Structure formats: structure tokens, C-alpha cells
Amino acid sequence: MPFCHNLRTSIVIAAVFASSLLPAMAQQPAKLPAKQQQPNTPPPPQEKPPALVDQAGPTVSLQTSEALFDVAVALNACGYDNGLAESDPIRTHVRDQVNQAMQQSEAARDARDNLCVFINQHHLGDASRDLAQYVSLALYLTPPPDLALSVDQGDMPPDSTQVIDIVSLLHAFANATQLHFIWLENHPAYEEEVAKLHDPLTRMIVTTNVYLKVPASTYSGSRFLVVLEPMLSPEETNARVYGPDYVVVASPVNGAIHMQEARHTYLHYVIEPLLYSRASAMDRLLPILKTVRDAPLDFQYRSDIVSLVIECLIRAIEARTMDTGIAEYKIPDDARRADLERETQKHNASLQRISAARENAVNQSMVAGFVLTQYFYDQLIAFEHTPDSLKEAIGPMVYGMDIDQQIHRARDVHFAEEGSSDVIRHATRTPHGLDLAEIKLHQGDAAGAEKLAQQELSQHTPDPGRADYILALTSVMQGRMENAEKEFNETIRLSKDPRLLAWSHIYLGRIHDIRDERDEALVEYKTALTVRDGQPDTKAAAEKGIKQPFEPPKSAHPDQNDDSDDSNTSSATKPEAQAPATQPH
């Protein structure tokens, strides 16, 4: 039967491919693997670093920023009183000095008034985001006296671009109030805060690394920074990811900050490279996203399985290592034999209370929509009793997950009406080119994705193989299977990406299987194994194709409902029936 006239074949394969095209691309995370990574290599930078990042400096640092000080003082001068009563005394002292400067200078008062008009006109409904836009801007300002953008405006974090026009007003305000001299006078007090926090922050990092059994980070180009600014509210920790740079902005009070939020960000810093390097092999977990569609989660977690997995793992680690406030009862060394049973009961009772507190934290995460927290919590109990590091254990944890079991567990969760947002925000720029084409594919806009991929080819994209792979998927979505076959072959001819090569052969094998061309299909599956892209889902799919002819999942048939039952939903999105995401370059 001629392939181009087999309408049922076109519909079936289109359904199989389109059911899960590029699912992890619904909302791009801050860091996506640009090509097949080695497991210990962090994703390459996609954002230019903040101004205070020293590329030659340590990977972990604790510091202050005069530019952030200027922005924070300006906010205080214009009515930002959040957390004032709880703040370190230095905040009130600086406010008094600025007020005195304005009393002595009409120019300073005018500069302050102009500044306040702008700030009042740019208030956001969400107080935390209102502050975050200025913090984001401040991190990309060069130190005074310049106070200039450290990168081109197009490379600034998106939220900061809403308030970029404040820079000239801030410059005038800083000059009129002689803010640099106020900074110099108070800088020793800032350094005292840094000195007080140094040891607690170091202990947090060391104990976290010890639990995870990982060495101190040596990732090239990746940084974890804690920036102290007492002029902000102690209750408003700002944690951001700018490409490979993880920044926590916190207001210390007598050398103390909300260490839990700093640790949460540090866990992202350690764990994200380990999981984003495996992002393309996590498609088998995609059915879990269906279970959280109605959960009170940020869109990122409802649309990106890698982000959801990362946050669930981090919450599980936090539950396993949290200070429950319950002391473990120790059996006295000199306990009499007659008292031993009673002492043992006290010891076990204390352990049960500690365990209950940890399980309660896990349950809170589960009802908030982080439905894999319990799974990872259970896995961590075993992890604690092995010599393996997290780097070694994370693969088996993820790949060994029983997806059906976790789906059923998630469907038994009664979600809370309101959830909790992650303390950390990823700053991303607007995607374009082939990245945008992938997003359109995931959204079902095959025509839009096809147009963008064609544009990239016409403009001589440096990665034509990736463009052809996207075109192949758009052809499948639109039922043009003959075109898809040609474009998968073009991907094989042009691409050097082992994952795209392997999966192009796998899908060509499946096309041949559905056309009853078994010999040709076997050649494709065997060739896929020779590519050696190193991902378990690729190997499993190719070996399964060799073992038996490919058969489309039942839910791929056009007359079946996507949500008809659990078995169909699961089978439609297993890795052997999925198109893997391409790797943005």
C-alpha cells in the first residue's frame, strides 16, 4: 500500500507524535540544556550576569552592593516602610541622614519628588513583585557614580525593563543627596553584617553539601551570591536566577537572615544542573502534569515537568533535613536495665513525633500540588543509608520511578484552594527563532512552528538539523507523513546532535513498522542504537522496536478520548510513544 495514500497511517502517527510534542517547552525555564550535556556540566548561560558578579571570583560569595543601596534608599524616601519596625537600626539611621540632606537642599527635595512620582506611577498590585522589579534593576546597575545599565537594555531581566526609566531620576537623586558619602559612612556597618553572617551561611552550605554528599560547587561560570541590604524589609527575601547566576537579596538583622529561603535557593543552584542535564530523558514523567492541572501551582510547574520534579525533590530534601523543634530523646548511658524498656519507649516516641512533623511538611507540599514530594521523600530515606552522592543517585531516582503509581497517588490528593509560590524566580528573556518554534509546537501551533523553522533555514541557521527535526514534527502534526520522512532524513544528514539523530531513526523505524516494512524498520532501530546518545529512554525505545513491531497506543486513535481512562492516558505518553524535545542551541 503506497504510504502517501494511507490516510489512517497518517492520522495515527500524527496523533502519536502530536500527543506530546515538546511538552517541557510550554514555558521555558531559565536554563535549558543547549545541547547534550555531560551529567556534571551545568546548562550554559542564557542571561548576561548581574553587574556585581565577578566572573573570576569565587563560585559562592556574600557581599553588598552600593547600586542596590541607592535603589533601596530611593524606595525608602518614597514611602517604602515595609518591615521598618523589624529592621536593623542601620535602616532608620540612613533614612535620618537622607532626610537631613533633603532638608538642607531644595535640589535634593525636587529630585526626591520626581523620583516618587515615577515610583507611584509604577506600583504593581503584588507587593513582592513591586519590590522585585527594582531589585532586579539594581543588580544590573554599575556602581556609582555611573549608575548605568551593565548590559544592553534588550538583555535586561524582563521585570526590570518596566522601571528602567528611573535610572536618570535615581542618578539625580543620588547626586543631590550626596548619597555616595552616606554609603561610605555606613559601609563599615554593612561589612559588620557580612562578617556576622559569614559563619552561619558557611555552615548552611557545608551541612547541605554533606547531606547531599556532593563537594563544594566547581561549576565554571555558575555563581551563588547572597547580597545583603538592610534598607529592605527583613521579611522580603528576593531570590532570582539569572542564567547560571543564583542571587539571594536579603535584609539582615544582627547578622541573621531567613536562612531557609537562602538554603532553598542554594538547593536550586546545586540540583538544577543535575536535572536539566537530563531534561530530554524525562518525557516519560509527562503524564504527571495532567494530574496537577487543577492544583494551585504557578504555571511553570503545571507545564514543565523538569521544574516540577526539581521543586518536589527540593521540598523532600527540606522535609528530611528540617529542624522540627522536637528533640530526639537520648537514652542515658547509665540507664538501669529495669528502666531500659521505658527509656526506649521515650526514645521511639520522640522519633515518631519528629517523623510526624516531617510527614506533615511533605503533606503540605503534596496538597499544594507538588505531587512527587512524597516519592522523593521516601527515596531520600534510602539515599541516606548509601555511600552514593546525589549526583550518582539522582538518575536512578528519576528513571526508576513507577509513573503509574505516582499518577494514582497524585489523583488521590485533595489540593488546597491556595498554594505557595516558590521563593525563587527565574528571569527569562523572550524566546525567539527555533526556541520559539518549539514552544509553538507544544502549544499545537504547527503552522506557526513550521513558519519559524523555515525562516531559520532561509536565514542559514547554524543548526539546520534541528530546524529540519522541528519541520518533521510539524509535518507529522499536519498529517504530511511523506514530508516527515524526508525531513527526518534531512535531520540525520545535517545534525550532529546524537539525540536528534537517534530519535529520527526511531521514528523512521516506527513509520516503516506501520507500513508493514519490518526489515527497513529493524535497520532504523539498530542504527539508533549505534548513535549512542547515552539516554536510557532512547535505548529502551530502540530495543523495544527491535523486539517487536511498533504499535500505536490505543489513545492515538482519533475516535478515542484523551481522558477516557487511566491506561490510555498513561500509554499515550510513555517514552516509546513520544517525540523528545530538541535541544536549544
Side-chain angles (χ1 to χ4, degrees), residues 211 310-322 362 365 372-378 380 384:
Y211 178 78
I310 288 170
E311 187 64 17
C312 290
L313 175 55
I314 287 175
R315 285 171 175 255
I317 292 170
E318 290 172 332
R320 286 298 303 161
T321 58
M322 67 185 285
V362 171
S365 291
L372 295 176
T373 306
Q374 183 70 62
Y375 168 78
F376 284 118
Y377 183 87
D378 296 338
L380 288 169
E384 292 166 8

Side-chain angles (χ1 to χ4, degrees), residues 6 10 19 53 71 81 129 160 184 231 235 239 248 265 279 283 314 373 416 428 439 520 529 564 567:
N6 190 341
S10 298
S19 65
V53 171
V71 171
D81 297 330
R129 294 184 183 274
S160 70
L184 291 177
M231 297 302 295
E235 301 302 318
V248 178
T265 308
D283 289 352
I314 287 175
T373 306
T428 57
I439 292 176
E520 291 88 340
L529 287 175
S564 58
S567 60

Side-chain angles (χ1 to χ4, degrees), residues 401-415:
M401 185 186 302
D402 185 330
I403 305 301
D404 289 338
Q405 183 183 72
Q406 297 311 312
I407 288 173
H408 286 296
R409 170 184 277 169
R411 287 177 175 169
D412 288 338
V413 174
H414 296 286
F415 295 124

Side-chain angles (χ1 to χ4, degrees), residues 238-466:
N238 266 264
R240 292 299 188 90
V241 180
Y242 301 106
D245 301 306
Y246 294 70
V247 184
V248 178
V249 176
S251 176
V253 179
N254 194 30
I257 61 173
H258 287 278
M259 194 63 73
Q260 181 178 349
E261 295 177 352
R263 184 174 188 254
H264 187 90
T265 308
Y266 183 73
L267 285 168
H268 273 274
Y269 166 72
V270 173
I271 291 170
E272 283 191 0
L274 300 179
L275 281 174
Y276 275 121
S277 66
R278 295 170 167 83
S280 57
M282 293 172 65
D283 289 352
R284 60 185 292 268
L285 277 62
L286 284 163
I288 293 170
L289 290 182
K290 278 191 173 184
T291 69
V292 298
R293 285 183 297 194
D294 298 324
L297 290 171
D298 290 343
F299 178 75
Q300 176 183 358
Y301 300 118
R302 288 185 283 111
S303 61
D304 178 17
I305 190 61
V306 185
S307 294
L308 181 64
V309 168
I310 288 170
E311 187 64 17
C312 290
L313 175 55
I314 287 175
R315 285 171 175 255
I317 292 170
E318 290 172 332
R320 286 298 303 161
T321 58
M322 67 185 285
D323 180 3
T324 63
I326 302 170
E328 178 183 342
Y329 182 79
K330 302 291 186 181
I331 300 175
D333 293 336
D334 59 351
R336 295 181 303 175
R337 182 182 297 273
D339 297 331
L340 192 56
E341 182 177 354
R342 183 181 60 192
E343 295 295 323
T344 301
Q345 289 175 349
K346 289 182 180 179
H347 172 72
N348 291 340
S350 70
L351 293 181
Q352 289 173 1
R353 290 195 297 273
I354 292 171
S355 178
R358 298 190 192 286
E359 288 285 356
N360 182 59
V362 171
N363 184 61
Q364 289 178 2
S365 291
M366 295 288 286
V367 299
F370 299 102
V371 296
L372 295 176
T373 306
Q374 183 70 62
Y375 168 78
F376 284 118
Y377 183 87
D378 296 338
Q379 292 293 309
L380 288 169
I381 295 175
F383 164 75
E384 292 166 8
H385 294 88
T386 71
D388 294 341
S389 68
L390 181 68
K391 176 183 173 182
E392 296 165 321
I394 201 166
M397 279 188 194
V398 173
Y399 303 138
M401 185 186 302
D402 185 330
I403 305 301
D404 289 338
Q405 183 183 72
Q406 297 311 312
I407 288 173
H408 286 296
R409 170 184 277 169
R411 287 177 175 169
D412 288 338
V413 174
H414 296 286
F415 295 124
E417 292 186 6
E418 295 184 5
S420 58
S421 296
D422 192 359
V423 65
I424 193 169
R425 292 193 180 99
H426 291 73
T428 57
R429 294 198 301 269
T430 303
H432 60 280
L434 295 179
D435 291 345
L436 182 57
E438 289 191 339
I439 292 176
K440 287 185 177 294
L441 267 177
H442 175 74
Q443 295 171 338
D445 184 2
E450 180 181 22
K451 180 179 179 182
L452 287 169
Q454 290 285 14
Q455 286 177 351
E456 291 297 304
L457 284 174
S458 66
Q459 296 170 8
H460 305 291
T461 173
D463 194 357
R466 182 182 171 212

Side-chain angles (χ1 to χ4, degrees), residues 96-115:
D96 290 343
Q97 289 180 301
V98 173
N99 286 335
Q100 290 176 10
M102 287 189 293
Q103 290 173 5
Q104 297 168 5
S105 168
E106 183 177 354
R109 294 193 295 273
D110 289 342
R112 185 271 316 272
D113 292 344
N114 292 334
L115 198 65

